Amino acid sequence: MSRLTDLLAKAKAKDSQLGADLEREFKLLSSRLPFGLNFERHSPEAVELPLRPVRKGDKVRVLPARGSVKKGDQRLWQVKTIHKATKVAELELLDTAEPQMQSVPLADLIVVAEFRDTIYPGLVSTGMVMRGGDKPFHTVINGENYHVLKALTYTHRGKVDAIYIDPPYNTGAKDWKYNNDYVEGDDLYRHSKWLAMMERRLEVAKELLNPADSVLIVTIDEKEYLRLGLLLEQTFPEASIQMVSSVIMPAGSSRDGRFSRADEYLYFVIFGKARVTPWTSDMLRDVEDQARGEVRWNGMIRNGEGSLRTRIPSMFWPIFLDSETGAFHSVGEPLHRSQRVDEIDTPKGTVAVLPVDGSGRELMWRLSPQTFLEYLDKGYIRFSRRDPKTGQRSPQYLQSGTITKLEAGDIEILGRDAEGALELRYKDGRKTYAPLSVWNRVSHSAAEHGTGVVKRLIPDRKFPFPKSLYAVEDSLRFFVGDKPNSIILDFFSGSGTTAHAVMRLNKQDGGRRQCISVTNNEVAADEQKALREQGLRPGDPDWEKHGICDYITKPRVAAAITGKTPDGEPIKGDYKFTDEFPMADGFEENAEFFTLTYEAKSAVNHNLAYARIAPMLWLRAGAQGRRIDKLPPEGWAVADTYGLLTEVDQATPFIHAVSQASGLRIAYIVTDDDRRFQAIAKRLPDGVEPVRLYESYLSNFSFANGE
């Protein structure tokens, strides 16, 4: 160990950055557990930023010529000088023993951010939908999710009630990238790259969750569920973790020579006092009737062992129905043990219904003739629809437990049908179940209620394997169903299903939950080649419009709210299951769309990046109401949930306005003088949090990066 320490010290003396990197990796190696999940962390991930202007000091890559489908130079260069007149940059190759320089047009460069780099994020609004009045806004953020998570440490640290993510399943079929390369099935480091990618994001997500009461929900399939389980245990040792198996493909997905896969897995990582809330379904057995409020009627034929007529002959008796109408006529006496069915004396114009199953076995009724007639008089008996071939109808009855609930008032009587049977419905909230750890719900079929829903909202736009809307809704309901003001985050948001599910939860109980959806604008692998052949590159408008955020996520969220497709047509079809209504009705919700920006520290310090920082101040204050988008000429301004003081000499009128406002949560005070900040903070009303700009912002991101 001492020898390694000496070598590290020498490396630091020659190259401080190299020495720091080696020391960090050494600490990781020395802290590894003898048991548990060990994997290579790999070199820090890097992301290309096609929309970011090139600045002096940036790390960049040189793009291939337009029209080329080749990968291009993946080496990193640093911008040493920019010639504004000629729009050319002087570059120096990084991580090389021999200095190498070249001059490249700015248009042929793309900025690269490595995940070890400190970033100073901002947001630019790219549109909004408003139908929700004063409700908080849902937000969709286009950006590399790791960097967006870092940004959210400033706005939502410890505030998130639930995270739902559906990360790439690492199928080897170009479903995700590591360092700008698709990870394919023959990659020897495929699993460790996936774990490194997930670990980095989960570590930041941990800072966002409310440690006292929150949940992280992660979906996965058989390719990585074992490794994911170990990773979650190591990352969240303080949490309680459960895994649920859920049928999402009832028809099965074939595996050559193996069982067809019909399910996937959900990990629930539960923090603090968070608890699973009982619901109207146990998620496995068919209790849809209770979920809709309907009361279950049971078939009257007894089945199972000991159900043959010979056991209790008195329970084998005929029910006579009118042969023309199928209406109830009368009942007959029980048959003797040796009496044949064809010996029954059937009243004229009737047919006999007996407890005989499909294979011809003669069984028993669950009720005696006398009890049957008593139940019939009370409305506790009803008959199924008439069989067109036999003319028969099967009797159904209310079990004793249901009758007890009816008499106790847990079930309300809506009326009687034409034959006198009671029409019943459970009263709200009276019938609940503890959900099981195996789910089999028709509503969770990904094909019908994932792909099918996306097709209705954004016709002719394809997205691979979207989750069932109702599956996400159910998963979240167990933890935020009783939290109408909760904040939900999805940082692998894909087609925007989580935001859509949150809107449905809000409609069901009048909630004001808000969802933060994070996705990049990656163009699908099979489309990139065609676009490159057309001479397009990332960053070109005609390239970006095909990216997942602009082409799928934003249009889907907008369509869900407005009830109209991107072409302005009313969405066809109805929502189903828990809350049924036309999709064209939309939702009374608000949503705003943003793109992540990367600001220069000096610009932030000198108040030159305020326009991009402004949305983050608004997000931190609750993403509700008016936003202060420009520096106020009066030196201060007050919005619905926060105030901004940019000139400390105007503190008195600012504090007066803050005191008069209702619902204010935060007062942002721009000053480099901590003494003046503290003096102003003391004069603020109780309940208003003072936040110093830009000290709080800059120190947050230095801290988030480990500095």
Side-chain angles (χ1 to χ4, degrees):
M1 286 295 222
S2 60
R3 176 61 176 156
L4 284 171
T5 304
D6 292 341
L7 291 172
L8 285 171
K10 290 180 180 179
K12 281 185 177 181
K14 290 190 175 182
D15 187 327
S16 59
Q17 182 61 54
L18 175 61
D21 290 345
L22 287 171
E23 185 175 45
R24 182 166 53 246
E25 295 302 319
F26 170 66
K27 286 181 178 178
L28 283 171
L29 285 170
S30 61
S31 64
R32 282 192 173 180
L33 303 174
F35 299 101
L37 188 65
N38 290 320
F39 58 94
E40 296 296 331
R41 264 67 183 185
H42 298 279
S43 58
E45 292 177 67
V47 59
E48 294 183 349
L49 311 175
L51 301 178
R52 160 85 147 69
V54 178
R55 304 182 186 128
K56 182 180 178 181
D58 281 344
K59 297 172 187 175
V60 296
R61 287 190 179 119
V62 180
L63 292 168
R66 288 188 179 272
S68 172
V69 296
K70 294 181 179 180
K71 185 175 179 180
D73 186 357
Q74 294 299 295
R75 294 176 298 173
L76 288 180
W77 301 75
Q78 187 171 45
V79 178
K80 307 304 288 186
T81 306
I82 294 178
H83 303 290
K84 294 183 179 180
T86 58
K87 297 182 179 179
V88 170
E90 301 292 338
L91 309 180
E92 181 180 8
L93 185 63
L94 293 173
D95 299 325
T96 181
E98 296 294 328
Q100 186 175 338
M101 306 288 293
Q102 66 170 327
S103 300
V104 179
L106 292 174
D108 292 334
L109 299 177
I110 188 166
V111 178
V112 174
E114 292 186 286
F115 285 11
R116 63 186 172 191
D117 298 339
T118 300
I119 64 160
Y120 299 100
L123 295 170
V124 172
S125 177
T126 58
M128 68 172 65
V129 183
M130 294 182 63
R131 290 189 70 202
D134 67 348
K135 294 177 74 173
F137 278 68
H138 304 286
T139 52
V140 177
I141 303 177
N142 170 13
E144 162 55 50
N145 61 4
Y146 178 80
H147 286 154
V148 177
L149 287 170
K150 288 280 191 178
L152 293 175
T153 61
Y154 182 68
T155 61
H156 287 82
R157 188 184 296 272
K159 296 179 182 179
V160 174
D161 298 285
I163 294 177
Y164 180 102
I165 55 172
D166 179 34
Y169 285 5
N170 205 14
T171 64
K174 292 188 175 181
D175 58 342
W176 71 289
K177 283 183 173 181
Y178 191 93
N179 276 345
N180 207 41
D181 288 328
Y182 285 107
V183 179
E184 301 190 55
D186 58 357
D187 190 328
L188 296 177
Y189 292 97
R190 170 179 151 202
H191 297 295
S192 62
K193 286 180 178 178
W194 187 87
L195 286 166
M197 179 273 294
M198 288 295 295
E199 183 185 48
R200 291 186 181 113
R201 288 154 180 81
L202 291 173
E203 289 284 4
V204 185
K206 185 175 183 177
E207 300 176 38
L208 305 178
L209 286 163
N210 174 4
D213 184 1
S214 62
V215 65
L216 164 67
I217 307 170
V218 190
T219 62
I220 201 68
D221 72 1
E222 75 274 15
K223 296 174 189 65
E224 293 291 357
Y225 82 101
L226 293 171
R227 282 171 281 269
L228 175 61
L230 287 171
L231 179 63
L232 292 173
E233 285 187 352
Q234 290 185 188
T235 307
F236 306 105
E238 73 280 20
S240 169
I241 302 176
Q242 273 194 289
M243 189 180 81
V244 166
S245 176
S246 177
V247 175
I248 62 162
M249 210 176 309
S253 175
S254 61
R255 299 282 194 269
D256 187 30
R258 299 291 185 270
F259 298 110
S260 291
R261 184 175 72 88
D263 63 345
E264 68 175 14
Y265 311 107
L266 296 91
Y267 279 103
F268 289 84
V269 185
I270 303 168
F271 300 88
K273 64 179 183 179
R275 295 291 183 271
V276 177
T277 304
W279 192 45
T280 53
S281 166
D282 68 4
M283 304 302 286
L284 175 61
R285 289 179 284 266
D286 185 14
V287 287
E288 279 287 347
D289 46 357
Q290 280 87 355
R292 294 191 301 267
E294 297 177 5
V295 174
R296 182 181 179 87
W297 293 75
N298 291 80
M300 234 177 73
I301 297 179
R302 186 188 297 272
N303 48 34
E305 290 188 25
S307 298
L308 295 177
R309 68 174 276 196
T310 53
R311 180 169 171 262
I312 309 178
S314 63
M315 299 298 281
F316 188 76
W317 49 271
I319 299 172
F320 299 117
L321 305 178
D322 188 290
S323 57
E324 293 294 327
T325 65
F328 172 75
H329 179 275
S330 59
V331 299
E333 294 295 322
L335 276 66
H336 300 299
R337 187 182 298 271
S338 60
Q339 186 177 357
R340 299 196 310 272
V341 171
D342 58 8
E343 295 176 349
I344 296 174
D345 185 14
T346 304
K348 187 176 180 180
T350 69
V351 294
V353 178
L354 290 152
V356 178
D357 68 12
S359 64
R361 288 192 310 160
E362 297 177 350
L363 305 172
M364 294 186 289
W365 293 124
R366 293 182 180 272
L367 303 176
S368 68
Q370 181 180 355
T371 304
F372 174 84
L373 291 173
E374 291 176 1
Y375 274 29
L376 186 70
D377 183 62
K378 293 179 179 179
Y380 297 172
I381 299 290
R382 74 178 187 181
F383 290 89
S384 66
R385 291 182 180 179
R386 196 176 185 191
D387 187 312
K389 293 182 180 180
T390 65
Q392 295 198 354
R393 302 168 71 195
S394 299
Q396 299 173 331
Y397 77 111
L398 295 178
Q399 290 183 316
S400 59
T402 305
I403 293 172
T404 300
K405 292 176 182 176
L406 175 63
E407 294 172 347
D410 292 342
I411 297 173
E412 58 182 330
I413 300 174
L414 304 178
R416 290 182 180 245
D417 66 16
E419 296 181 294
L422 293 177
E423 293 178 335
L424 305 170
R425 182 180 179 85
Y426 274 102
K427 291 184 177 178
D428 291 341
R430 295 299 180 92
K431 185 69 174 180
T432 58
Y433 300 82
L436 302 173
S437 59
V438 177
W439 297 357
N440 186 10
R441 314 294 298 150
V442 172
S443 58
H444 290 193
S445 171
E448 286 81 4
H449 308 302
T451 302
V453 168
V454 171
K455 282 182 178 178
R456 290 182 183 275
L457 270 67
I458 46 175
D460 303 320
R461 302 191 186 194
K462 295 181 180 179
F463 180 81
F465 313 117
K467 282 281 178 288
S468 161
L469 171 63
Y470 310 108
V472 180
E473 177 186 327
D474 288 348
S475 301
L476 290 171
R477 182 186 288 107
F478 292 127
F479 291 92
V480 301
D482 58 352
K483 298 175 182 175
N485 297 303
S486 53
I487 298 173
I488 296 95
L489 168 65
D490 181 351
F491 55 89
F492 286 100
S493 64
S495 65
T497 305
T498 302
H500 198 167
V502 172
M503 294 179 205
R504 276 185 52 84
L505 291 175
N506 281 346
K507 186 177 186 301
Q508 290 161 24
D509 63 4
R512 298 166 67 88
R513 302 171 186 84
Q514 53 181 301
C515 182
I516 304 169
S517 303
V518 180
T519 184
N520 59 27
N521 205 37
E522 184 75 25
V523 174
D526 56 351
E527 294 182 44
Q528 289 193 23
K529 183 179 178 183
L531 294 177
R532 291 186 188 280
E533 288 174 344
Q534 296 173 33
L536 297 174
R537 288 172 171 170
D540 293 340
D542 286 339
W543 176 291
E544 295 296 322
K545 71 180 183 181
H546 293 286
I548 180 176
C549 187
D550 288 346
Y551 192 63
I552 300 292
T553 320
K554 288 162 56 176
R556 190 258 180 90
V557 171
I561 295 174
T562 62
K564 295 181 179 180
T565 70
D567 293 331
E569 297 294 324
I571 298 169
K572 298 176 182 179
D574 298 332
Y575 291 110
K576 299 183 179 181
F577 309 106
T578 305
D579 191 17
E580 300 185 2
F581 61 95
M583 290 184 175
D585 286 358
F587 295 92
E588 294 180 356
E589 300 283 347
N590 303 315
E592 187 162 6
F593 312 117
F594 296 97
T595 294
L596 186 74
T597 66
Y598 297 79
E599 304 304 319
K601 183 177 181 179
S602 58
V604 174
N605 252 332
H606 292 90
N607 226 5
L608 301 177
Y610 176 77
R612 275 91 63 199
I613 305 299
M616 297 187 64
L617 306 183
W618 175 75
L619 279 174
R620 179 165 174 163
Q624 183 180 356
R626 187 174 70 87
R627 185 166 63 240
I628 305 169
D629 282 321
K630 296 180 180 179
L631 291 170
E634 298 85 358
W636 63 272
V638 173
D640 295 281
T641 58
Y642 70 101
L644 173 69
L645 176 65
T646 57
E647 299 291 341
V648 292
D649 291 341
Q650 299 298 314
T652 297
F654 172 71
I655 291 169
H656 177 73
V658 168
S659 301
Q660 296 299 310
S662 61
L664 245 66
R665 303 172 186 175
I666 299 176
Y668 296 106
I669 302 167
V670 181
T671 179
D672 288 332
D673 189 333
D674 185 62
R675 186 174 57 181
R676 298 194 71 176
F677 168 76
Q678 296 295 341
I680 296 169
K682 289 178 181 178
R683 297 169 60 190
L684 291 171
D686 292 340
V688 177
E689 176 192 0
V691 176
R692 181 178 156 201
L693 293 179
Y694 289 93
E695 187 274 337
S696 68
Y697 171 91
L698 295 171
S699 64
N700 177 85
F701 294 109
S702 292
F703 174 77
N705 199 54
E707 292 183 11

